[in-house]
Amino acid sequence: MKKLALTLLASSVLLAQGVVNVYTSRHYDSDKIVFDAFTAKTGIKVNLVQDKIDPLIAKLEQEGKDTSADLFMTVGAGDLYKAKSKGLLQAYSSKLVDEKVPAKFSDKDKTWAGVTYRARVFVYDPKQISEKELSTYAALADAKFKGKVLTRSSTSSYNRHLIAFMIAKDGIDKTQDWANKLVSNFARDPKGNDRDQAKAIVSGTGAVAIMNSYYLGRMSVSKDPIEQEVFKNLKIFFPNQNDGGTHINISGAGITKYAKNVKEATALMEFLVSKEAQEILAQTNFEFPVNSEASPADVVKSWGEFKASEIDFNEIAKNLEEAQVIADKAMWK
């Protein structure tokens, strides 16, 4: 009888612990630290399926009601918009998430909530360009920057979101003209990732790179001597401070439509936006926290405060297909 009672007790503990299955396109060490902290605090095990965004969305569509996914996480407004548009997410219900995440960082229908964000900034060589010469994304198309601009391919999600942001801000015609002129200012054909653009500057190619802010933070703790040189010698600039604010992109999470463990998925969403988890993500991956109770990493704070654009993320996401059309017409490789 005693053995049976112990067995039942063990079973009830396992049942109480629960699981949450996460499909994520995020691939950062910071996330594992956060998930481990969540499990330690709640006893809820986190099972991960990590992949690029298109295979993840295809997997969710193919699995339908049989999916094991409870929570969907990704790194771009367009990806969240696509998942929502395909009916793959359900509205979450959490006063805690509503309290910790400002409305501007969440979907108005609550199919997803922001977790962190990153800014699309300029990283430049002050020996070649003065800060006074820099102002807006639009101004970077000026002929005075010919042969000085570096950025990655237009097929990069980060650049397609930037072009989509420009469409939302200035319209299609102005954005096409901007893209045409920007491409003519490129120091080389686009190649490599964001960090490769900054590395090119210290290697003698170009003078200003368009890249995401958190990469510069990651370079500050890199063991790669070239990345250390980048961090020590290049400076960061937040564009559009007098023109609506710097373009930011959101990384967010939403509960899948056919989640089997909604309670556990909600608990993980709540933990992701808690001060504890937000500071892990901020300190380890140098992203900006959406919860104002959390502090950014010291190096990020050293860049100073900046005005971020408040154009709705869904408005930007709607323009992603047109953004690729514009890039192709501009021959932005």
Side-chain angles (χ1 to χ4, degrees):
M1 182 62 74
K2 184 177 180 181
K3 184 177 179 180
L4 176 61
L6 289 173
T7 301
L8 290 173
L9 176 61
S11 298
S12 65
V13 168
L14 286 172
L15 185 62
Q17 287 177 337
V19 299
V20 56
N21 301 305
V22 180
Y23 282 15
T24 179
S25 68
R26 290 178 57 93
H27 52 81
Y28 311 114
D29 294 340
S30 58
D31 293 30
K32 184 179 187 310
I33 298 172
V34 168
F35 294 142
D36 287 348
F38 171 72
T39 299
K41 183 176 287 272
T42 65
I44 299 172
K45 182 181 178 183
V46 179
N47 296 320
L48 290 181
V49 173
Q50 289 177 302
D51 206 336
K52 293 182 178 178
I53 189 61
D54 288 339
L56 279 182
I57 287 181
K59 184 174 174 65
L60 278 171
E61 287 185 287
Q62 291 167 2
E63 291 174 342
K65 294 181 179 178
D66 296 326
T67 187
S68 60
D70 300 307
L71 195 71
F72 172 74
M73 292 184 68
T74 188
V75 291
D79 302 334
L80 293 161
Y81 178 81
K82 182 186 289 186
K84 175 187 176 183
S85 299
K86 289 179 175 289
L88 300 174
L89 304 176
Q90 62 173 284
Y92 63 85
S93 177
S94 168
K95 290 183 180 178
L96 192 62
V97 173
D98 292 342
E99 176 186 327
K100 301 299 181 186
V101 183
K104 64 183 179 182
F105 293 134
S106 294
D107 175 43
K108 62 181 175 56
D109 296 321
K110 298 189 177 183
T111 58
W112 56 264
V115 175
T116 59
Y117 65 94
R118 56 279 298 275
R120 200 79 179 138
V121 300
F122 299 160
V123 171
Y124 68 101
D125 180 358
K127 294 177 182 175
Q128 300 188 62
I129 292 178
S130 73
E131 183 177 358
K132 293 181 180 178
E133 293 180 85
L134 300 171
S135 57
T136 64
Y137 301 107
L140 207 58
D142 190 281
K144 70 180 180 182
F145 293 110
K146 193 168 187 62
K148 295 182 178 179
V149 179
L150 290 152
T151 193
R152 61 199 296 176
S153 165
S154 66
T155 59
S156 149
S157 172
Y158 301 148
N159 277 341
R160 277 193 293 118
H161 277 84
L162 174 60
I163 299 169
F165 158 80
M166 294 294 285
I167 296 172
K169 179 179 174 299
D170 294 332
I172 291 175
D173 292 343
K174 283 189 176 180
T175 301
Q176 184 67 68
D177 183 60
W178 167 74
N180 294 342
K181 293 175 180 175
L182 184 70
V183 168
S184 71
N185 284 345
F186 284 172
R188 65 179 185 185
D189 285 344
K191 62 180 179 180
N193 57 31
D194 272 15
R195 281 189 272 198
D196 290 329
Q197 313 312 314
K199 290 179 184 177
I201 296 177
V202 298
S203 298
T205 300
V208 54
I210 303 172
M211 58 187 286
N212 277 353
S213 52
Y214 76 105
Y215 282 115
L216 196 61
R218 290 169 67 101
M219 285 178 160
S220 72
V221 295
S222 172
K223 294 180 180 178
D224 181 336
I226 296 178
E227 294 194 351
Q228 277 292 312
E229 190 176 351
V230 166
F231 177 71
K232 291 175 181 175
N233 293 290
L234 302 188
K235 290 191 173 183
I236 191 169
F237 182 85
F238 291 94
N240 289 44
Q241 290 306 283
N242 297 311
D243 189 24
T246 298
H247 165 51
I248 59 172
N249 204 350
I250 197 79
S251 179
I255 298 175
T256 61
K257 182 176 181 180
Y258 298 112
K260 312 299 188 300
N261 303 295
V262 173
K263 182 179 177 181
E264 289 79 4
T266 303
L268 180 53
M269 282 188 73
E270 291 176 340
F271 185 72
L272 286 167
V273 300
S274 68
K275 181 181 178 183
E276 178 182 352
Q278 290 277 289
E279 290 194 336
I280 293 172
L281 295 169
Q283 304 293 330
T284 310
N285 206 40
F286 303 96
E287 297 173 271
F288 291 98
V290 294
N291 181 346
S292 61
E293 296 171 354
S295 296
D298 287 344
V299 66
V300 174
K301 284 192 286 188
S302 75
W303 298 335
E305 295 185 356
F306 73 100
K307 180 181 179 181
S309 167
E310 296 198 2
I311 294 176
D312 186 90
F313 290 113
N314 285 326
E315 291 303 311
I316 295 173
K318 289 176 183 174
N319 296 320
L320 283 172
E321 289 188 9
E322 187 63 43
Q324 192 60 61
V325 172
I326 285 176
D328 291 343
K329 286 181 178 177
M331 301 183 71
W332 184 336
K333 296 181 179 177

